[in-house]
Amino acid sequence: MDVVLEIISFAFMGLGAAMLIIGGVGLIRLNDVFTRMHAAGIIDTLGAGAVMAGLMIQAGLGIVSIKLLLILVFIMFTSPTATHALARAALNGGVHPQLDETDAGDKGRDKGPGGGEGGGEGT
C-alpha cells in the first residue's frame, strides 16, 4: 500500500511541477497583462495545489498534513481574489485587453449589422 501512495504522491507533485513550468513559460511568453494574470493563476491554484496535495499524501495523517491543508485553503481563497483585484486595478488604470481584429474562423467576413452571427438585427 505504501508503494501505491508514493506513486500517487509523485504523480500529484509531477502534475504540479508541470503546471508550474507551463505557467512560468506563460508569464514569459504572453504579451498582455490579462493573459499573464491567467498564467499566474495557473501557477497559484493548479500548480501549488497539486504539489501541496502530493506533499499531504507523503506526510500521511498528522499535524504536517493539517498545516499543508490550511496553506492550500489559504492559497485557494487568496489567489483568485488577488488576481481579480489586480485585473480590476489594471482596468481602472486604463489598461485594456489586447484583442484581435478578426477571429481565426471569421477572416474576410464583414461583421456589420446583419453580417455576423446571431441574426440580422444590429445591437
Side-chain angles (χ1 to χ4, degrees):
M1 187 66 178
D2 289 337
V3 175
V4 174
L5 288 177
E6 296 255 345
I7 291 171
I8 293 171
S9 171
F10 286 123
F12 272 116
M13 287 191 282
L15 177 68
M19 290 295 148
L20 291 170
I21 290 170
I22 290 169
V25 169
L27 283 174
I28 294 169
R29 298 217 26 163
L30 296 173
N31 56 358
D32 186 18
V33 66
F34 297 103
T35 56
R36 285 182 179 170
M37 278 190 278
H38 176 69
I42 289 173
I43 290 173
D44 285 346
T45 54
L46 292 176
V51 169
M52 292 286 184
L55 290 174
M56 282 190 284
I57 293 171
Q58 278 285 321
L61 294 176
I63 191 72
V64 174
S65 292
I66 293 171
K67 290 177 182 179
L68 288 169
L69 181 66
L70 289 174
I71 292 169
L72 182 62
V73 168
F74 179 73
I75 288 173
M76 292 298 163
F77 279 117
T78 59
S79 175
T81 305
T83 303
H84 178 76
L86 184 61
R88 296 298 294 171
L91 283 173
N92 289 337
V95 178
H96 297 288
Q98 186 177 16
L99 302 174
D100 289 337
E101 291 296 321
T102 59
D103 293 331
D106 294 335
K107 287 185 179 177
R109 276 211 222 151
D110 180 26
K111 288 196 134 188
E117 297 175 9
E121 301 280 329
T123 53

